[in-house]
Amino acid sequence: MLRKIRLTFAMICFVLITLLFLDFTGTLHGWFGWLAKIQFLPAVLALNVGVILFLVILTLVCGRIYCSVICPLGVFQDILAWLGRQPKKRRKLPYSYSPALSWLRYGVLGVFIIALIAGIGSLAALLAPYSAYGRIANNLFQPIWQWGNNLLAYLAERADSYAFYETDVWLKSLPTFIIAAATLAVLVVLAGRNGRTYCNTICPVGTVLGFLSRYSLFRITIDSEKCNQCSLCSRNCKAACINFKEHQIDASRCVVCMNCIEKCKHGAISYKYHPFGKPAAGKADSEQINETRRSFFTATALVAATSVLKAQEKKVDGGLAAIEDKKIPERSTPLTPPGSLSACNMAQHCTACQLCVSACPNQVLRPSADLRKLMQPEMSYERGYCRPECTKCSEVCPAGAIRPITKADKSSVQIGHAVWVKKNCIPLTDGVQCGNCARHCPTGAIQMVPSIPEDKDSPKIPVINVERCIGCGACENLCPARPFSAIYVEGHERHRII
């Protein structure tokens, strides 16, 4: 019964979180966006004390329930492990007990925290479980979801129905796509063969919660008097944490999946209350316990010692003429979304989970290919512009990298300013009237004036009032010049109110 309850909640959380990354309409975020905000690392980076305390207390009471119910990557590994076992139903179960690799677990945790403190967000994002699953869902699952939607839109159109509409399926970032595919391949191999190897050797969140779960009030334990050492529990344990010969379970690696309870035919395994503060180590000697504790505090000390490092489209025109794709201009300073406050704040708090990229209805956000900010979102205006009335990214960000912002406030936040490129402007290159940038500027920061002041009939060119420009990119996106726009937006390191 306990296993079925756990599986039910796990699948509900997994499906809803996955839909948050697949939903290109933004409808589900208003209902279930809180599931992203209760993920451990985003809550820590957002300094969401309430969520952090909830997860810590949940772990101290129930063990690593977070890893088997709330964490989407943990549930995803269970799915992969289940699929990996299907061809082997009649063979020997693949799992067996293995000693904990404490040096590796705490070493990875130390590297992870040092990366956060030093501002190496791309390295931290590679190890973070929620972010890893977000990249897989956004880069690998969402295109399949969109193709399915487009097929339904095609069929609905033939039936004179507009219940569905087509969406563009495009590659947002090749490096991020490759990383997502590589992560999936690694998970398939590890989970398919050895279950929760990633959770118990690499995942920094699993290491932190594992240390706390050693002292949880409720733990899975083995009754040595009832156990006949059939090893069925150990061979069904994806966490490889059950030593049936010694009648002990490593609570720091146990994710409370309840598989062992269901498989035990003698009722020797149960999930029951233990006195608070007494580590669940079975018959492990005190030397092993002290060694694990020393490893944890060594990693913490390493982090403290290193804290000084912290310094910080359409393809054709009317079906007649081919339109050349726009190219991304070289910006001295990348653009970060309104609400992110600054490039520094974005780098410090962003987990590169891609949720804002998935939710952006204007196709403005995409993962960065810059090694310093690899996979973190940045803005570019080839496919759309940042509409002043849209605040989707600030609504869905769970880590505080993009702070909540109102529509009224967004219209006064300057994330960058427009720059005119004379050699690309078509009134001068082609001798035709344009003015697209001025007509569509939502703040009236662009005016068209004669290129020759003394001649009122000379071709008109744009003049930019930098103080009024908010950097929304409408001018850059709607400029007809190809392949580079005649006007582009240069980012600001720190946003300001105008």
Side-chain angles (χ1 to χ4, degrees):
M1 178 59 73
L2 287 176
R3 180 174 177 271
K4 291 179 180 178
I5 294 173
R6 196 272 304 175
L7 284 174
T8 301
F9 280 105
M11 290 310 301
I12 290 174
C13 288
F14 177 75
V15 170
L16 292 178
I17 291 175
T18 302
L19 288 176
L20 290 180
F21 288 96
L22 302 184
D23 178 32
F24 51 84
T25 66
T27 305
L28 294 178
H29 289 280
W31 292 91
F32 306 113
W34 58 271
L35 284 170
K37 292 180 171 60
I38 64 171
Q39 301 300 316
F40 189 84
L41 182 60
V44 170
L45 294 178
L47 298 179
N48 194 331
V49 179
V51 172
I52 296 172
L53 286 176
F54 166 73
L55 294 178
V56 168
I57 293 172
L58 179 67
T59 305
L60 287 174
V61 173
C62 302
R64 287 175 60 178
I65 288 289
Y66 171 89
C67 299
S68 59
V69 175
I70 300 175
C71 177
L73 192 68
V75 180
F76 185 54
Q77 287 177 83
D78 286 346
I79 295 173
L80 293 178
W82 179 78
L83 292 174
R85 283 177 50 185
Q86 293 312 296
K88 305 175 183 179
K89 281 183 177 179
R90 298 186 179 180
R91 302 181 190 177
K92 183 179 179 180
L93 292 173
Y95 309 127
S96 61
Y97 171 76
S98 61
L101 299 176
S102 297
W103 64 270
L104 178 58
R105 298 168 68 190
Y106 291 109
V108 172
L109 175 62
V111 171
F112 175 77
I113 303 180
I114 290 172
L116 285 179
I117 292 176
I120 311 175
S122 56
L123 177 57
L126 280 174
L127 299 172
Y130 167 72
S131 301
Y133 182 75
R135 287 189 296 274
I136 292 173
N138 177 250
N139 290 276
L140 305 179
F141 298 164
Q142 191 188 57
I144 298 173
W145 180 271
Q146 290 176 312
W147 281 324
N149 170 83
N150 290 348
L151 176 61
L152 291 175
Y154 174 82
L155 297 175
E157 184 180 355
R158 297 299 178 273
D160 294 328
S161 171
Y162 295 93
F164 300 90
Y165 61 91
E166 289 192 10
T167 61
D168 290 335
V169 184
W170 55 292
L171 183 62
K172 300 179 179 70
S173 170
L174 181 58
T176 303
F177 178 86
I178 293 174
I179 291 172
T183 303
L184 178 61
V186 170
L187 289 175
V188 168
V189 173
L190 291 180
R193 293 174 60 86
N194 301 301
R196 289 289 190 118
T197 302
Y198 175 88
C199 289
N200 288 328
T201 56
I202 300 172
C203 178
V205 175
T207 301
V208 172
L209 297 181
F211 180 80
L212 296 175
S213 67
R214 290 172 54 82
Y215 302 90
S216 60
L217 289 176
F218 290 88
R219 308 168 198 154
I220 294 178
T221 56
I222 301 176
D223 187 338
S224 58
E225 295 182 358
K226 295 181 180 179
C227 178
N228 67 346
Q229 295 191 345
C230 67
S231 79
L232 200 57
C233 56
S234 179
R235 289 185 288 130
N236 278 277
C237 178
K238 296 186 291 290
C241 66
I242 301 179
N243 185 350
F244 70 94
K245 294 181 180 179
E246 300 291 335
H247 299 130
Q248 66 182 45
I249 298 176
D250 184 354
S252 70
R253 289 186 290 159
C254 176
V255 295
V256 201
C257 68
M258 313 288 185
N259 283 0
C260 54
I261 297 178
E262 184 178 81
K263 294 296 180 181
C264 183
K265 299 178 180 179
H266 303 282
I269 302 179
S270 60
Y271 181 60
K272 62 182 182 179
Y273 172 79
H274 280 256
F276 184 77
K278 185 177 180 181
K283 298 182 180 178
D285 55 37
S286 59
E287 184 62 30
Q288 182 181 355
I289 297 172
N290 291 335
E291 182 62 30
T292 303
R293 186 180 291 110
R294 280 196 295 270
S295 299
F296 180 81
F297 287 114
T298 298
T300 305
L302 184 61
V303 170
T306 321
S307 60
V308 293
L309 293 175
K310 185 174 182 180
Q312 8 197 213
E313 83 206 17
K314 292 279 185 183
K315 293 295 181 185
V316 296
D317 182 10
L320 299 175
I323 297 179
E324 187 176 3
D325 287 337
K326 280 195 175 187
K327 293 183 179 180
I328 301 175
E330 291 188 11
R331 309 183 205 273
S332 300
T333 304
L335 289 157
T336 58
S340 61
L341 305 181
S342 65
C344 181
N345 181 75
M346 173 66 79
Q348 289 179 341
H349 291 84
C350 180
T351 65
C353 72
Q354 315 293 303
L355 189 56
C356 58
V357 177
S358 298
C360 180
N362 305 309
Q363 299 183 335
V364 167
L365 291 176
R366 62 205 59 189
S368 173
D370 187 340
L371 286 177
R372 296 170 299 176
K373 306 179 297 295
L374 187 64
M375 301 179 292
Q376 294 184 351
E378 62 182 20
M379 305 174 74
S380 200
Y381 301 128
E382 291 72 53
R383 291 178 167 270
Y385 66 93
C386 191
R387 298 180 182 271
E389 70 275 10
C390 176
T391 59
K392 280 292 181 185
C393 59
S394 73
E395 293 170 7
V396 304
C397 179
I402 308 175
R403 305 293 176 86
I405 187 173
T406 65
K407 296 176 182 178
D409 290 339
K410 182 180 177 181
S411 298
S412 61
V413 174
Q414 186 181 63
I415 64 173
H417 64 275
V419 177
W420 179 55
V421 183
K422 181 179 180 180
K423 64 180 182 179
N424 295 340
C425 197
I426 64 172
L428 301 180
T429 59
D430 298 351
V432 297
Q433 293 184 359
C434 183
N436 253 16
C437 52
R439 282 195 299 272
H440 294 94
C441 179
T443 63
I446 303 176
Q447 302 294 325
M448 301 299 292
V449 300
S451 55
I452 303 174
E454 297 79 15
D455 183 4
K456 294 183 179 180
D457 296 327
S458 60
K460 292 186 176 182
I461 57 174
V463 172
I464 303 164
N465 183 345
V466 176
E467 296 300 318
R468 297 187 65 178
C469 177
I470 61 174
C472 69
C475 53
E476 178 181 332
N477 173 249
L478 298 170
C479 177
R482 296 292 192 280
F484 292 102
S485 295
I487 192 167
Y488 75 96
V489 179
E490 185 62 57
H492 289 176
E493 284 284 349
R494 184 176 294 276
H495 299 174
R496 68 185 184 94
I497 305 298
I498 60 172

